[in-house]
Structure formats: C-alpha cells, structure tokens
Amino acid sequence: MFLSSEGLNPKNAWPSGDDSAIWDPPLEVGLATGLVDVPDQIISGNQKEDPIEPQLKLPAQLKDLKVRVCHVNSPSSFYVRFAQYDSQLKRICELVKQKCARIEPQDVEWKVDMYCAALFNGVWERAQICSDVTSSDSAEVRLCDHGKMMKIDVSNLRPLPSSLIGSLALECTLNDIRPTGGRSTWTNTACDSFSYYLTGASAVMTIKELTDERPVPVTLFCSNRMGEFISIADFLVSEGLALRQRKPSNINVQQPKDMDPPSTVREVQNKSETETSSPSVPVISFPFQSSTVSGHMPPKPAPRSIMTAEKVKTSLYKPQELPCLGHIQISISAVGEDGLIYVRTQNAGYQLEQLKERIQQSMKALPRQKPYTWKSVLGCAVIGPDMLWYRGQLLEVLGGHVKVQYVDYGLVENIPVVHVYPILLCDDVPQLCMICQLLGINPVGGKWQQDAVALMREVLLNRSVDMNVVELPADPRGPVTVELFIDGLSLSRILCQYEHASMDRTVSPDKRLTVMPTAPVFDVWDINTEGLRDPEELMLGSFTYPNLPQEGEHFKVVVKHMCTPNELFLWPLEGTADVKVNGESLDEALTRINRNIDTLPRLSNFPEGGPCLAEYSDGKYYRARLMKFISAEPVTLLVQHVDFGSDDTLPTSKLRQMPAELLEFPCRALKVKVAGFKAPSVTREENVLPYSPKWSMKAAMEMIDLLHKNITASVVAQEPELTVLLYSEDGELVHLPLVTKGLAELE
C-alpha cells in the first residue's frame, strides 16, 4: 500500500512537538467530511462560554468521531482526545495555572491515584499519581489530558482543586488485530511504527463497544494522499506488523426437544424463519465443538465482562550466601544508580548456568495472564528481552509498567506488566547475586552522580576482579563492605583520582584501604608491623627545575623533544648535568636502580602530577610524571618522561614507585616556547600535524633538521611560560629558513 506525505510517508511523517496534524486531510476532503479543525471562535458580548467540563463525557453517537491521537504506547494502548474538547482543554490549563502556579511547594504525602497539578515543560497540567512516592524525590505520574507517563520532581507537583479533577484523554485499543508471531505482546517494530505515524495525528474513530473496561476497542481511520480514509488496522496487517484476530468458528447444531438450552449458549433464529409463520426449531451454538451444520448465521458475541484483580501474595527469594572475610575472585554483573555493586562469586557463576537450564525446562509455556493486585507480590518471574525466563523482585508498580530487579544479576528495569508473573522460580535456590558497597570513600555531594556510576560501569561490568571482603552486614540482604582491585589498582582510588569521591577519614585504621598483593595471599601468623607507615606518608613531592640564566644571557642547549616547531623540550648543557646526590649523578643512580628494578613495588596511588618510574621502549625505567588515566579496559595511564619531554601511554604493570632520592635531582628537560615566529595564517600543505593542524608536517621536518646543529638559547621571558630565542652556530635565528620557505610567519 502506497501512502502519501499527508498520510503515512516516513519521509515527512515525523510527529512534531506542535499539534499540527501531519495526518490532517486535504482542505476539500475535510470540508466534505466535516473534519477540518475549526479555529477558536470569537465570542461576542451576547454569547456565553460553555461551562467547564473537567471530565470526559462520551457522546451518544459512537461512530465517526473526530479525535486527535495524543499519546501512543502500542496498538493495544493509545490515548485520543475528542476534537470538541480542544477549547475546553485550553481553559482548563489556564485555570490550573491560575490556581496552582503561585502555590509554594507543600509537604504532601502523595499516594497512588491521587490527582495533582504537574509542571511539565513550563506548562501546568492535570496529572494522576501512578505509584507511591517514598524516599525518592520524583513521582511517576500520568498526564490526564494526554495519557503520557513520566517522572516529575515532587517540587513540581501541587494539589489539584476538586473542581478540576478529571481527564479528557481516552485510552483505546485497535479492534480485530493481534501481534504477529504468536506473541502476547507487540513487537518493538510494531509499536515504533504505530507511534511514528499516529502520534499527534487527526483521525476518525468508531467505538466498537462501550464498557467500563479500559482500553476501549475502536477502529481508527486516517487520510492518505488521495484524501481517502484508510483503516490503521488494515495498514498494520498489510505491513506485516499485525494479524487479524482469530474468531472461533461456531457450528450450529439442533437442540433436542427434551433438553433445556444451557445458560452459556445463545438461541439463534434464522431470519427467514422469523419472517414466516411456520413453527421454528430452536438452534443453538456450541463454540469450538464439531457437529452437524444446521445454520449459517453467526451468534452474537457475549457481552464483555470486567475481570476483577486477583489477589496473589509471594515471598522474597532466599538471600544470597555471604562469603568469608578476605580476598576472593568475583565477576561484576551490575552497578546500580545508588553506587551499589552487584557481584557473583565463581561458585555462584557455576550455579547460575545450572539454574538457567533448570528454569527454562520448568517453564515450557506462558502462564495465563490475569489482572493482579501486585501490592502483595515480592518475588516474581520475568520474561526478559531475549524471551527467556528470569527470577525477579518487584520493586514498584508504575501503572502499566512495573520496576523489577533481576535477583541473580542485580539489573533494574521498567518493563510492561504483561512480562511479569507473580510466581517463584526454583525458590529453593538462594539469590546468586551479592550486593557490595565500597569501603572508606564518600561520594561527592552525598550521593553517587551519573558520571561516577558511568565510570564504575565502564571499569567493572562483565569483568573478573579481586575483591577484599572487609565487613559482613547484620542483615543477610544488606550490602557487604568491600574493596575492589582492577589489575592491582584500587577502584576507590580511581574514583578519588577522578574527583567522584573522597577518602573517609573516619574509617578505623584496621579497615583502611589495603594494597592489592601481587602474589597469592597466605595466612601469616607471625605478624610484624615494624617499619610500616601510613601510605599517605610515602607520598613524594613534586619535581624541581634548575636555575635558569638571566634574561638575555646565551647558553648552550640540546633539543630532546619537539611538539611543534615553536614548542620544544630542551636540555641546558650547563649546570644540570653536573648535579650529584650522595656522590652519584642522575644517570648513575638510574643505572643502579634499573639493575634491581623488580624489587621496587608497583604504584598503589595515582595522583595527577605525581612522580614515578616508567618503562621506556628500551626496557629501562626513567623518571616520569603521571598525567591522567587514558582507558579503563585495560587500565592505562598517560605519563611524561620529565628528563626528555616525551609522552607515553603505559599499563600499571610498567610503572614503579620512585625512590625518594631521585626526586633530589632537578628535571633535565625544560618545556619552552620559541619566540619570533608562528604558524602561517594560510597553509597550502595537505599533510598537517594531527594534534596541531595549523602546523604542516613539512614545517616540522624542516625544523627537526635545523635543530640537529649546535644550538644556543636566550631567555626572553619566564612568565607566563618559559620563552626563548634559539640561535644557530652562525648566530642567526634558527627559525628564519622556515619563514623564507613560507612554512611559518614572523611573530
């Protein structure tokens, strides 16, 4: 079926924030069918406004109703608003704003089904609470006049006057179609397509049957390019997104004369027999029963009944088995928004594989879905996105959705209520996921921020790491206090390094953070604490720099590293090379330390700018400065070799703690800016430095050739950065050939 831009053409059918109807029929068709929106009428002094009607009243005529689709969940749940109520909605919104906008936030105990005024996108609207508000600062509400559900901060809620309580949105379901593939729920593709075309659209609707049950079954028609109204149900079927609803084939059989009709069947008279005066034989219909055909008129459907919610009560799954104190290997399955970490031991991982197979074997078919109260349901069974069964715990009811936690994984999701069943699966097996909290750190702001949780998820999820169990909870369902180590690096220190948390100084000394041992932990009963110091006392200071000549004084230098033609690292050849500590030069001290490099411990602290020893490509260790973390998987850091100026990205295994004696030597390499020239305003070179595109590769190579000669430097300024002029052995400025070739400009 080809659909037009006015109808279902994907290129033009994205619904906008405005209620302008991309589905609106052409003007001439609208006039013919009475479907054109009528602008707000100007009310003269002799006319009076209709009274406010806060509650939707269905018209007596249920056919060909003009509506606007205001919110879509699926073909089985969408909300419409009658076009005749547009002016009413505007007046109601104005009244809500007048009566509620100036009221200060109140301490209200919000309960399920309570009406309120909600401030959403700067507009005050009527809303209804969908779940109890406990300790959180937000409430799940449904906008009464739109049907949309969302979370809104309680500070943006106000009590709604009783005179304004009501709703102008009607929840509907498309009649006579069902999901494809034998599913009980609609696919994401079907829901997305339905929402894509229908949200905000004008339509013509017929209510098939009016009962107190919601959603109401309807047929829905919208216009295409030709101005023809097409059935949305037919469109979904034609696109392969829905199937026609199966109807039971009712076979009519003769009723024995000596047998009274059962109360569950309906007597049907043939129309031709009714028109004649001949005596008729009653004909009855038995659904799904094969028999001799005696009539062709299908029976009338039985009236729909309202099913009452079934009261079901379930208990929690057994709590997880707590480990012993000490180091164990675990795998991370989830990190909560509250910073709690969900882990499984290796044994629990083996049990999980067996449990998954046992659950799938025991659940061969879907249980019958019924309306439940959910208030007394704790443990439950959940159909996951992969259509497999999982054990869950019900956390909160959110209207048509529920918040559940997968008890063997720790994940929390909001899922449709039709995917949850109030039954326990393998309740003899305890939860296989253990809840953990980090020892000795406090999140910035008193609670874990989103970027901190994102970092923990990036570092931890689906990894096997070492965990030190420090303290067990009194409540077996409570969090275990632990330390986590990633490649020997403490997670707590990573979070502090990124300023997501701070160390808790109130933690007792026997529970302070420990360093992850490089070898397996064995029981040592002969404990000697002599010589132990607080890790903070071992922190080294910063590197020092040599004294520079006075401004204007010339001194010989050697360039060791170039970033750009006018940003260099150089060695002063006078003063720094002759510095000795305890009779040793820096080179001699490094040679001695490299002979026994394996005796130096790995880094356990990673402060920005902190000194360390870093391995170079020649296999030897040199002095370096920690710059920042580069990646979390694997953990790598950016370091700068302070005696050469070059940068390197290294894993923690190639970093060592630097002996304090090496800090007494000043840094050899000085970062300088070369004065007198700059990058050209316009470069004709295609190859440029990727980290500094204003400089060409040709300029960089030319400058390297110029710096391989005997160079003399003269200090121009020391603040805000060290700036020098460089001279060749002929006494000329080094950069002049670059300017002559057009690779640089005079500054």
Side-chain angles (χ1 to χ4, degrees):
M1 179 186 297
F2 179 78
L3 301 167
S4 71
S5 58
E6 290 88 350
L8 303 178
N9 188 356
K11 295 182 179 180
N12 304 93
W14 286 108
S16 63
D18 184 16
D19 276 344
S20 59
I22 54 176
W23 285 62
D24 277 349
L27 181 59
E28 60 273 13
V29 177
L31 292 174
T33 58
L35 294 176
V36 176
D37 287 336
V38 180
D40 293 339
Q41 296 180 357
I42 302 176
I43 301 176
S44 64
N46 298 329
Q47 292 178 309
K48 295 182 179 180
E49 290 185 346
D50 295 332
I52 291 291
E53 296 182 8
Q55 184 62 44
L56 173 67
K57 294 181 180 179
L58 294 179
Q61 173 59 257
L62 301 181
K63 294 183 179 180
D64 300 333
L65 303 172
K66 184 185 177 186
V67 298
R68 190 180 300 278
V69 181
C70 49
H71 180 65
V72 171
N73 295 318
S74 72
S76 294
S77 175
F78 59 94
Y79 289 82
V80 302
R81 193 169 56 244
F82 294 103
Q84 66 195 58
Y85 282 100
D86 286 349
S87 60
Q88 287 279 348
L89 180 60
K90 294 179 181 179
R91 294 169 58 192
I92 288 175
C93 288
E94 292 175 359
L95 286 176
V96 172
K97 180 179 179 181
Q98 293 174 7
K99 294 182 178 296
C100 302
R102 298 181 181 180
I103 301 177
E104 294 296 325
Q106 302 178 17
D107 187 11
V108 178
E109 185 178 356
W110 298 107
K111 295 293 185 181
V112 178
D113 296 334
M114 287 180 61
Y115 284 88
C116 62
L119 180 61
F120 174 65
N121 287 342
V123 178
W124 285 97
E125 299 193 39
R126 300 188 297 175
Q128 190 174 18
I129 305 295
C130 298
S131 60
D132 287 330
V133 181
T134 54
S135 58
S136 62
D137 295 331
S138 60
E140 189 86 12
V141 302
R142 178 185 287 107
L143 300 182
C144 296
D145 302 312
H146 300 275
K148 185 177 182 180
M149 288 183 59
M150 63 188 62
K151 281 195 172 183
I152 295 183
D153 194 285
V154 293
S155 62
N156 292 328
L157 300 181
R158 301 291 187 275
L160 187 68
S162 58
S163 59
L164 294 177
I165 289 178
S167 172
L168 296 182
L170 178 67
E171 186 180 11
C172 303
T173 178
L174 281 184
N175 194 47
D176 293 336
I177 60 172
R178 58 186 173 89
T180 58
R183 296 165 54 103
S184 60
T185 58
W186 292 94
T187 63
N188 291 337
T189 304
C191 294
D192 293 344
S193 179
F194 189 72
S195 176
Y196 177 80
Y197 292 127
L198 267 293
T199 302
S202 295
V204 175
M205 183 181 80
T206 295
I207 299 176
K208 302 298 293 183
E209 185 177 0
L210 189 58
T211 66
D212 293 335
E213 187 179 356
R214 295 293 182 269
V216 175
V218 301
T219 58
L220 206 65
F221 291 83
C222 290
S223 65
N224 61 9
R225 176 188 297 176
M226 305 303 296
E228 300 169 344
F229 282 86
I230 61 172
S231 166
I232 300 301
D234 290 344
F235 169 72
L236 294 177
V237 172
S238 68
E239 293 293 311
L241 301 175
L243 297 175
R244 292 294 177 190
Q245 189 68 266
R246 293 195 195 99
K247 296 182 179 180
S249 57
N250 299 311
I251 308 300
N252 296 329
V253 299
Q254 281 194 344
Q255 170 70 22
K257 296 182 179 180
D258 57 349
M259 177 179 176
D260 292 333
S263 58
T264 57
V265 298
R266 184 183 302 269
E267 189 172 280
V268 178
Q269 298 262 345
N270 189 286
K271 182 178 180 182
S272 61
E273 295 177 342
T274 305
E275 294 174 351
T276 65
S277 59
S278 59
S280 61
V281 178
V283 179
I284 60 174
S285 170
F286 293 95
F288 302 103
Q289 182 174 341
S290 178
S291 183
T292 304
V293 177
S294 62
H296 300 285
M297 179 176 288
K300 295 180 181 179
R304 301 178 65 178
S305 59
I306 301 175
M307 299 179 63
T308 58
E310 183 174 328
K311 295 182 179 180
V312 178
K313 183 176 183 180
T314 62
S315 60
L316 293 171
Y317 288 97
K318 294 181 180 179
Q320 68 273 14
E321 296 179 354
L322 298 180
C324 299
L325 299 179
H327 286 264
I328 58 173
Q329 286 289 321
I330 51 92
S331 61
I332 313 293
S333 59
V335 178
E337 296 292 341
D338 53 2
L340 292 178
I341 302 170
Y342 296 85
V343 309
R344 280 193 302 269
T345 61
Q346 292 180 338
N347 182 51
Y350 301 141
Q351 289 181 289
L352 180 61
E353 294 302 318
Q354 299 174 357
L355 177 66
K356 288 165 62 177
E357 183 176 354
R358 181 179 165 190
I359 289 176
Q360 306 313 320
Q361 290 294 330
S362 63
M363 300 296 290
K364 294 291 187 179
L366 292 175
R368 184 179 178 185
Q369 185 64 252
K370 303 176 183 178
Y372 302 106
T373 60
W374 297 110
K375 293 183 179 180
S376 55
V377 174
L378 297 175
C380 59
V382 179
I383 302 178
D386 53 4
M387 299 308 292
L388 297 178
W389 288 94
Y390 295 91
R391 304 194 303 173
Q393 177 180 336
L394 193 68
L395 301 180
E396 190 177 0
V397 180
L398 308 171
H401 286 63
V402 290
K403 180 184 289 186
V404 298
Q405 183 173 48
Y406 297 84
V407 298
D408 300 313
Y409 297 84
L411 296 171
V412 175
E413 284 186 345
N414 290 347
I415 61 177
V417 71
V418 294
H419 287 182
V420 183
Y421 293 85
I423 57 176
L424 296 182
L425 302 177
C426 304
D427 56 349
D428 58 314
V429 180
Q431 299 179 20
L432 299 179
C433 198
M434 182 166 56
I435 311 172
C436 300
Q437 63 182 4
L438 294 176
L439 167 74
I441 59 173
N442 297 320
V444 173
K447 66 178 182 179
W448 291 105
Q449 307 299 319
Q450 290 184 356
D451 50 354
V453 174
L455 175 62
M456 284 193 281
R457 287 173 176 167
E458 179 183 358
V459 171
L460 295 175
L461 284 184
N462 302 319
R463 292 195 58 173
S464 180
V465 300
D466 181 87
M467 182 173 76
N468 181 29
V469 181
V470 180
E471 185 178 355
L472 299 178
D475 180 5
R477 298 186 185 276
V480 180
T481 304
V482 301
E483 303 171 73
L484 293 178
F485 298 93
I486 308 160
D487 296 334
L489 180 63
S490 168
L491 173 64
S492 298
R493 295 196 182 278
I494 293 177
L495 294 171
C496 294
Q497 170 72 23
Y498 277 93
E499 298 181 353
H500 294 312
S502 60
M503 302 302 297
D504 188 355
R505 305 299 179 186
T506 63
V507 177
S508 59
D510 60 335
K511 293 183 180 179
R512 287 183 181 175
L513 292 175
T514 60
V515 178
M516 172 60 194
T518 57
V521 180
F522 298 98
D523 289 335
V524 179
W525 297 100
D526 185 14
I527 300 176
N528 182 9
T529 60
E530 182 178 356
L532 292 180
R533 302 171 62 189
D534 192 316
E536 294 186 2
E537 297 179 4
L538 300 177
M539 292 290 294
L540 299 176
S542 303
F543 288 104
T544 59
Y545 291 91
N547 294 324
L548 295 177
Q550 298 295 322
E551 293 184 8
E553 183 179 347
H554 290 253
F555 57 99
K556 293 183 178 181
V557 296
V558 173
V559 176
K560 301 301 292 185
H561 181 69
M562 185 183 78
C563 298
T564 65
N566 63 347
E567 291 182 4
L568 311 171
F569 285 86
L570 51 81
W571 276 11
L573 294 182
E574 300 173 359
T576 59
D578 301 329
V579 175
K580 291 189 176 183
V581 176
N582 297 327
E584 279 186 321
S585 65
L586 176 59
D587 292 336
E588 293 170 341
L590 286 173
T591 301
R592 170 176 54 83
I593 291 173
N594 270 282
R595 285 197 295 264
N596 302 300
I597 193 65
D598 291 336
T599 62
L600 291 180
R602 293 186 181 183
L603 284 184
S604 60
N605 206 353
F606 299 84
E608 185 176 347
C612 67
L613 290 180
E615 185 178 348
Y616 191 59
S617 57
D618 60 1
K620 296 181 180 180
Y621 282 77
Y622 299 90
R623 299 192 303 171
R625 177 188 292 111
L626 296 170
M627 304 298 288
K628 63 179 181 179
F629 285 94
I630 294 297
S631 69
E633 179 57 42
V635 177
T636 57
L637 296 98
L638 178 67
V639 300
Q640 184 184 72
H641 295 280
V642 297
D643 298 313
F644 302 92
S646 58
D647 296 339
D648 207 351
T649 300
L650 298 172
T652 57
S653 59
K654 294 190 176 184
L655 301 177
R656 294 288 186 273
Q657 294 185 19
M658 192 181 78
E661 59 186 282
L662 293 182
L663 203 61
E664 300 182 32
F665 294 95
C667 294
R668 282 187 178 178
L670 298 176
K671 182 178 182 180
V672 300
K673 178 182 179 182
V674 184
F677 71 109
K678 62 181 180 179
S681 303
V682 179
T683 179
R684 297 180 176 85
E685 301 293 331
E686 295 182 359
N687 295 329
V688 297
L689 297 178
Y691 54 86
S692 184
K694 60 184 179 180
W695 285 105
S696 66
M697 288 291 296
K698 186 175 181 180
M701 300 305 296
E702 290 278 350
M703 190 64 176
I704 290 175
D705 292 339
L706 296 172
L707 295 175
H708 276 163
K709 304 173 183 178
N710 294 329
I711 302 297
T712 303
S714 175
V715 178
V716 176
Q718 296 189 8
E719 297 294 340
E721 59 182 334
L722 183 59
T723 306
V724 301
L725 286 172
L726 295 182
Y727 298 89
S728 66
E729 53 189 347
D730 298 329
E732 296 182 353
L733 292 172
V734 171
H735 60 265
L736 291 181
L738 290 182
V739 177
T740 303
K741 296 179 180 181
L743 300 175
E745 293 179 355
L746 292 175
E747 191 175 27

